[in-house]
Amino acid sequence: MDTMIAARLHAYGSPMTLDRIPVPEPRPTDVLVEVKACGVVPNLARVVSNFFGKLTPDNKMMPPLPAIFGLDPAGVVAKVGEQVLSVRPGERVYVNPARSCGSCRMCRSEQPLECPGWTLQGYFGRSQDIMRAYPYGGLSQFITAPATALVKLPDTVSFEAAARFGYLGTAYAAMKKIGVGPGQTLLINGISGQLGLNAALLALAMGATKILGTGRNAALLDRVRSLDPGRIDVLAVPNAPSEGATAARPDPLVAWARAATDGDGVDGMIDCLPPGAPAGAIMRGLYCLRRGGRFVNVGAVMETLPLNAFWMMTNRIGLQGSVWFTTGEGEDMAAMAGAGTLNLSVLEHRVSPLTKVNEVLAGMDERNGGFTNFVIDPTRI
Ligand SMILES: [Zn+2]
């Protein structure tokens, strides 16, 4: 076991190549994980085309080339560093790719997601030093990672389901910020997509009383509603909101959301829309909030919001952005999935061997929205 196969990107915009490289040795506080499944997010195709790299003038957000991508690896611990005390070889784990420096003020305050150098291993981030320290993404047969990044998986949670934890955790961290729970109503903008469906599954698990969701595809929306017709309701809406809709003269979505909540509006709203969706699609969701309602954004809308600060103040509206999740939040999800309160059985795993990585990236069929879980299995080459 001296060498392994990894899919490596040698130039942005070019296909990855399967290269044979040395298996890394874990440092004292790191582990070596044999990857059994790696989730592939549709956004990865944009990343390897350097869509996001071009947004920053010095290209400092992207990993040095050749790079090994792969955001959501799950597998088996193969080896542990000498200072790793509570994880043993053979344990099944998900590797949270969120890396932080470990010693800045935010890291020392136990807020690693707010580290200025925050970086996603196997993706991109804010620290070239961290990307060099952890250069192995999940599109590789083995990866090293800090022991503190491991989420232990119950036997009932498959590697394929765990490869979905990135989307799930992103939604989970957002819903914790909103306070989703019993008695609460939630609007999920983009409920049938990769992120939105996970938000719906978690909202059900967390006990939300009513979950409202928007989307464009009526058939997919019906499928989401059928997960729990007593608690989920959906509305197909066009991408662009009604022309000229305002707080005083709301979009039909707002009227629908108010009618579903005794006229109050929803307690919380989470936006899960992809890049390219218009700012107005968020704004009409904001107007669905009750007085004092909270909005958390995990979507990728890039347009500037036409936000009325006076409306926000007088209605006590809370706005927050959120990205990714802590390893502790990952442990929560693993526990919920293991107990069966978080039902991941609706996911359709589409597993491909590592040799097909370029084909997978070129042709991600999103017809079934968030129900499809794209997975690469690096043990199959
Ligand atoms: Zn830090």
Side-chain angles (χ1 to χ4, degrees):
M1 198 189 75
D2 294 336
T3 63
M4 64 177 182
I5 303 292
R8 294 203 298 178
L9 189 78
H10 291 264
Y12 287 102
S14 301
M16 295 180 187
T17 58
L18 294 193
D19 298 340
R20 185 168 286 281
I21 59 174
V23 174
E25 194 62 32
R27 287 178 292 249
T29 55
D30 288 349
V31 299
L32 181 73
V33 174
E34 182 179 10
V35 181
K36 301 289 189 183
C38 181
V40 179
V41 298
N43 204 34
L44 182 58
R46 291 188 197 101
V47 171
V48 298
S49 72
N50 207 23
F51 175 85
F52 293 98
K54 287 177 198 152
L55 298 178
T56 51
D58 52 5
N59 223 4
K60 284 284 169 59
M61 294 286 282
M62 304 309 293
L65 299 175
I68 305 172
F69 288 90
L71 189 56
D72 283 299
V76 174
V77 175
K79 204 185 260 191
V80 303
E82 61 193 27
Q83 291 173 31
V84 175
L85 305 178
S86 302
V87 178
R88 306 283 18 127
E91 291 194 276
R92 301 171 73 253
V93 294
Y94 166 78
V95 181
N96 186 343
R99 299 282 82 80
S100 48
C101 79
S103 50
C104 71
R105 186 167 71 90
M106 299 321 293
C107 285
R108 288 183 282 108
S109 310
E110 298 176 350
Q111 296 175 81
L113 298 182
E114 294 176 12
C115 173
W118 190 73
T119 289
L120 287 166
Q121 181 175 345
Y123 213 38
F124 58 84
R126 295 168 185 277
S127 168
Q128 291 284 314
D129 289 336
I130 293 176
M131 286 188 260
R132 274 191 288 272
Y134 292 102
Y136 303 98
L139 299 176
S140 174
Q141 293 184 314
F142 290 89
I143 65 171
T144 52
T148 51
L150 301 181
V151 174
K152 290 195 189 181
L153 297 175
D155 290 342
T156 51
V157 178
S158 68
F159 294 124
E160 291 80 11
R164 186 60 172 251
F165 271 22
Y167 281 123
L168 278 165
T170 297
Y172 180 59
M175 284 192 290
K176 279 180 67 186
K177 292 178 177 80
I178 291 173
V180 172
Q184 297 288 299
T185 58
L186 175 71
L187 171 68
I188 301 171
N189 229 9
I191 198 170
S192 60
Q194 296 278 349
L195 197 47
L197 178 68
N198 288 299
L201 295 175
L202 279 155
L204 290 171
M206 294 163 80
T209 300
K210 186 160 283 184
I211 301 157
L212 303 179
T214 68
R216 281 180 291 168
N217 181 328
L220 260 187
L221 286 172
D222 278 346
R223 206 168 151 195
V224 176
R225 185 172 176 274
S226 71
L227 295 172
D228 190 339
R231 286 199 283 163
I232 299 179
D233 208 352
V234 291
L235 186 69
V237 290
N239 210 353
S242 300
E243 199 61 35
T246 63
R249 192 160 58 81
D251 186 272
L253 171 67
V254 181
W256 174 75
R258 288 196 185 141
T261 52
D262 292 332
D264 289 339
V266 293
D267 297 306
M269 179 236 177
I270 170 171
D271 188 86
C272 301
L273 296 176
I282 290 184
M283 291 310 299
R284 66 179 166 197
L286 278 179
Y287 293 134
C288 295
L289 288 171
R290 67 164 167 82
R291 214 173 120 72
R294 281 191 232 171
F295 164 59
V296 174
N297 182 40
V298 287
V301 170
M302 297 170 96
E303 278 188 7
T304 300
L305 300 185
L307 193 63
N308 183 319
F310 187 76
W311 168 82
M312 188 181 146
M313 178 273 286
T314 54
N315 288 286
R316 302 175 55 85
I317 298 296
L319 301 181
Q320 187 169 359
S322 184
V323 63
W324 215 254
F325 59 100
T326 65
T327 300
E329 287 166 336
E331 288 279 332
D332 290 352
M333 294 190 304
M336 285 192 282
T341 50
L342 173 59
N343 179 9
L344 300 180
S345 69
V346 301
L347 299 177
E348 296 159 1
H349 307 305
R350 195 162 303 171
V351 184
S352 305
L354 191 58
T355 41
K356 296 284 184 205
V357 62
N358 293 309
E359 288 90 329
V360 170
L361 285 175
M364 296 184 82
D365 176 3
E366 296 189 63
R367 259 178 304 180
N368 290 324
F371 288 98
T372 309
N373 183 31
F374 297 98
V375 175
I376 297 277
D377 177 358
T379 66
R380 287 164 56 198
I381 53 167

